[in-house]
Amino acid sequence: MTPLRKVVIVGGGTAGWMAAALLAKLARKGLEIELVESEEIGTIGVGEATIPAIKRFNHLLELDETDFIRSTQATFKLGIEFTNWGREGDSYIHGFGKIGQDLGWLRMHQYWLKMRDTGKVSDRFADYSINTAAAYANRFMRARADMKASPLNDIAYAYHFDAGLYALYLRKYSENLGVKRTEGKIVKVNQRATDGFIEGVVLESGAVVEGELFIDCSGMRALLIEETLGAGYEDWSHWLPCDRAVAVPCSYMRSDAARASPPNASGGQSALPRTGEPALGKSELLTPYTRSIAHKSGWQWRIPLQHRIGNGHVFSSRYISDDEATAVLMGNLDGAPLAEPRVIRFRTGKRRKVWDRNVVAVGLSSGFMEPLESTSIQLIQSVILRLLAFFPDSGFAPAPRDSFNRLVDEEYREIRDFLIAHYKLTTRDDSPMWRYCRDMDIPEPLRERLDLWRVAGRFFKTGEELFADESWIQVLIGQGLIPAGYDPFVDLRAEGEIVKYLNDISGVIGKCVAAMPSHEQYIEATCKA
């Protein structure tokens, strides 16, 4: 039971500095932490949208929220809007937090399923969640802890932020806690002859950085976990067919050329107004939610920050070329591009062993899930927190490592199935990619869930699954998978009681949203960078 003396983190960026910050804050005193990175090796740095779990991470670090928001040019996020996913022209928001109020032991959506087509209640599911209703109204405020009985107490949020600025912010934080940063390219990895454990990394300068536990944050290269240890990779591209993304930031200000942009390469019109149409102001563009817009061979993200908008087109190279995908993206920007678009290649899946011998992979070195539900940063923090829970001593007993890998596998697969559901539950017939997704086989656990839902709108979460029932319910309804029936116990209540119950929820939420400031007004008043 000899404690570890030194941890070496290979690679910086968001993953490396998140690992450094949390280890420096929470690991035992006296643990030496050294991070090796090279300024010459760039990072992907487009993971700008998060889910509410990021607040737990920041809370563990005891970060001041306002300072963090200003330092990273952050905005607030109530959820994700999905457009053209179930079918072209459809749109829904997967909002964080609660949906209405339960009545008895049944969830609110069960009563809505019975009454939604009667004309007596709102048939728009978004009206029953403070997050989705506020998102559509472009309004925001933090939850009011002093209003326990109000929907304003239920507001759940995450952030959009500049990933590069977040890494710099955490670097300063980590270095203040004693983390040592070493600049240099790694040219060789030294392994122990007896068991293949890594002993140190050799830099281009000839210097050797030695350690006992190594955290691989080298991105998709996976220098330690794959190139050195050969942990293996589980490929999920047959379920999640997109394998590339092109990304570019843009301004909130449109150029004259942008206002007259032609139809885009996906066959639809550009999101920009054409000549003669009024341009939207920043207040209307600074949405408190991420947008995911499905195109013929992929989908486009839109992430508004305080100083710019992050954009990307995730696509399948089987169905569209890089140049065509770039044209789709550039034809659907809200403002002038601020950089040259860049193409990122990836393969969806995960390492067969995220912890192998004395190496733990964090971030893109552990696997890749496309950013459809903003899980990239969540997977970084969950792996780091699990490592702390199973933190080894110098003997590296196998039991903690095996339990760690099992739990990481479960989390990855549960997120994978949630993402697959977005693709599978489409009725689109306008392109080869969507026909493939609609007709493809899916993992058995997901098929069982969808079959159960189809009967009477029942959904049951298992274990420590990341996405709550509310997330699944919103996505399944939003994608158009309306159950054939509803829970029979709904009929124990009189129709008038149900109508009043549902209308009370939507009515109170509507009044609460009307009292909220706009997203831009809230940022200007409380945390403008």
Side-chain angles (χ1 to χ4, degrees):
M1 294 291 293
T2 305
L4 293 179
R5 297 183 303 275
K6 184 174 180 181
V7 175
V8 175
I9 301 170
V10 172
T14 307
W17 288 112
M18 285 181 73
L22 202 61
L23 284 170
K25 180 68 175 178
L26 299 183
R28 66 172 180 80
K29 300 296 183 184
L31 180 68
E32 184 182 353
I33 303 169
E34 184 171 356
L35 185 146
V36 181
E37 67 174 340
S38 171
E39 296 285 0
E40 295 180 36
I41 301 175
T43 59
I44 289 182
V46 295
E48 299 174 327
T50 60
I51 60 177
I54 187 67
K55 293 196 294 179
R56 180 189 178 203
F57 182 87
N58 287 354
H59 177 73
L60 288 171
L61 297 182
E62 298 182 293
L63 302 182
D64 177 85
E65 184 180 50
T66 299
D67 182 61
F68 150 73
I69 290 170
R70 288 173 173 158
S71 299
T72 61
Q73 295 278 359
T75 61
F76 295 97
K77 176 182 174 182
L78 294 169
I80 307 171
E81 181 188 46
F82 291 93
T83 300
N84 300 332
W85 278 83
R87 60 183 180 182
E88 289 187 282
D90 281 358
S91 177
Y92 70 94
I93 286 183
H94 164 204
F96 305 133
K98 294 177 64 175
I99 303 172
Q101 295 285 340
D102 295 346
L103 181 58
W105 66 89
L106 294 180
R107 309 302 296 271
M108 191 226 76
H109 75 277
Q110 291 287 354
Y111 300 97
W112 179 82
L113 287 172
K114 177 177 180 176
M115 302 304 302
R116 68 186 185 90
D117 288 330
T118 63
K120 298 177 181 180
V121 302
S122 173
D123 63 353
R124 195 172 84 143
F125 199 59
D127 291 341
Y128 300 93
S129 162
I130 185 70
N131 269 49
T132 52
Y136 274 125
N138 209 12
R139 294 173 180 262
F140 178 81
M141 65 186 294
R142 292 178 175 100
R144 289 286 300 270
D146 59 328
M147 302 179 71
K148 299 293 185 184
S150 168
L152 294 175
N153 181 248
D154 298 329
I155 297 169
Y157 64 89
Y159 313 101
H160 306 120
F161 57 67
D162 185 312
L165 292 178
Y166 188 52
L168 291 173
Y169 186 72
L170 294 181
R171 172 181 168 179
K172 181 179 178 181
Y173 175 95
S174 302
E175 289 179 324
N176 285 340
L177 290 179
V179 173
K180 178 183 177 182
R181 178 190 179 275
T182 298
E183 168 70 27
K185 284 185 179 179
I186 295 172
V187 295
K188 183 183 177 184
V189 179
N190 292 336
Q191 290 178 267
R192 202 157 63 196
T194 54
D195 53 17
F197 274 53
I198 290 176
E199 293 181 314
V201 293
V202 183
L203 307 185
E204 203 169 40
S205 65
V208 179
V209 179
E210 296 181 331
E212 295 166 288
L213 173 66
F214 289 80
I215 300 179
D216 188 346
C217 300
S218 62
M220 293 182 185
R221 181 184 176 187
L223 172 64
L224 304 182
I225 197 73
E226 191 60 46
E227 286 191 15
T228 304
L229 299 184
Y233 197 77
E234 194 172 329
D235 190 329
W236 294 336
S237 57
H238 50 295
W239 289 314
L240 296 165
C242 293
D243 59 356
R244 295 185 189 179
V246 56
V248 67
C250 75
S251 72
Y252 284 99
M253 300 299 294
R254 297 190 178 89
S255 64
D256 291 338
R259 289 194 181 96
S261 61
N264 64 54
S266 70
Q269 292 294 318
S270 168
L272 298 172
R274 292 172 290 281
T275 303
E277 293 181 352
L280 295 175
K282 183 176 180 180
S283 181
E284 297 158 295
L285 295 173
L286 192 65
T287 56
Y289 55 91
T290 306
R291 292 196 71 197
S292 171
I293 307 130
H295 295 305
K296 288 187 181 295
S297 302
W299 60 274
Q300 178 178 339
W301 77 71
R302 180 189 182 279
I303 302 172
L305 310 181
Q306 289 195 40
H307 62 315
R308 61 172 170 80
I309 302 173
N311 309 277
H313 182 194
V314 180
F315 62 96
S316 172
S317 62
R318 282 181 280 177
Y319 302 107
I320 191 172
S321 70
D322 291 3
D323 289 343
E324 290 171 321
T326 301
V328 171
L329 178 63
M330 301 305 284
N332 284 280
L333 300 181
D334 288 306
L338 299 176
E340 289 297 317
R342 58 194 180 104
V343 175
I344 303 159
R345 301 186 180 198
F346 58 84
R347 184 163 56 111
T348 302
K350 67 169 291 294
R351 299 290 159 205
R352 295 191 184 279
K353 294 180 183 177
V354 172
W355 181 351
D356 191 2
R357 280 165 270 196
N358 63 334
V359 174
V360 176
V362 175
L364 297 178
S365 61
S366 68
F368 186 86
M369 297 280 222
E370 61 179 79
L372 185 59
E373 284 283 356
S374 307
T375 52
S376 296
I377 290 175
Q378 160 61 24
L379 285 167
I380 292 172
Q381 76 177 61
S382 70
V383 168
I384 301 167
L385 286 167
R386 282 209 171 92
L387 173 60
L388 284 166
F390 291 99
F391 204 71
D393 57 44
S394 60
F396 286 94
R401 179 198 62 215
D402 293 345
S403 293
F404 170 96
N405 281 330
R406 177 180 56 79
L407 291 170
V408 171
D409 285 351
E410 288 175 3
E411 180 173 27
Y412 259 92
R413 290 192 175 100
E414 287 157 355
I415 293 172
R416 175 201 69 188
D417 286 358
F418 190 50
L419 301 186
I420 293 171
H422 294 65
Y423 284 96
K424 177 64 176 177
L425 297 178
T426 186
T427 59
R428 289 185 60 158
D429 195 35
D430 59 299
S431 67
M433 192 193 89
W434 290 110
R435 287 193 290 272
Y436 170 83
C437 293
R438 181 195 63 194
D439 299 335
M440 68 181 174
D441 291 330
I442 57 177
E444 185 63 18
L446 175 58
R447 187 193 63 75
E448 291 176 358
R449 282 190 162 180
L450 298 183
D451 288 346
L452 180 65
W453 171 266
R454 283 186 175 97
V455 176
R458 294 188 177 99
F459 182 85
F460 301 100
K461 179 179 171 179
T462 61
E464 297 181 358
E465 236 178 290
L466 175 63
F467 288 104
D469 296 11
E470 288 83 356
S471 294
W472 280 89
I473 289 165
Q474 289 176 93
V475 169
L476 297 177
I477 290 175
Q479 296 274 154
L481 188 63
I482 304 299
Y486 52 84
D487 193 300
F489 287 105
V490 167
D491 290 331
L492 293 178
R493 296 185 184 270
E495 182 177 298
E497 181 187 3
I498 297 173
V499 169
K500 183 179 184 304
Y501 157 71
L502 293 173
N503 286 337
D504 281 350
I505 291 173
S506 58
V508 170
I509 285 175
K511 290 176 182 178
C512 289
V513 170
M516 296 166 67
S518 75
H519 186 214
E520 185 177 28
Q521 288 171 339
Y522 189 84
I523 290 173
E524 288 280 342
T526 64
C527 52
K528 183 174 173 59

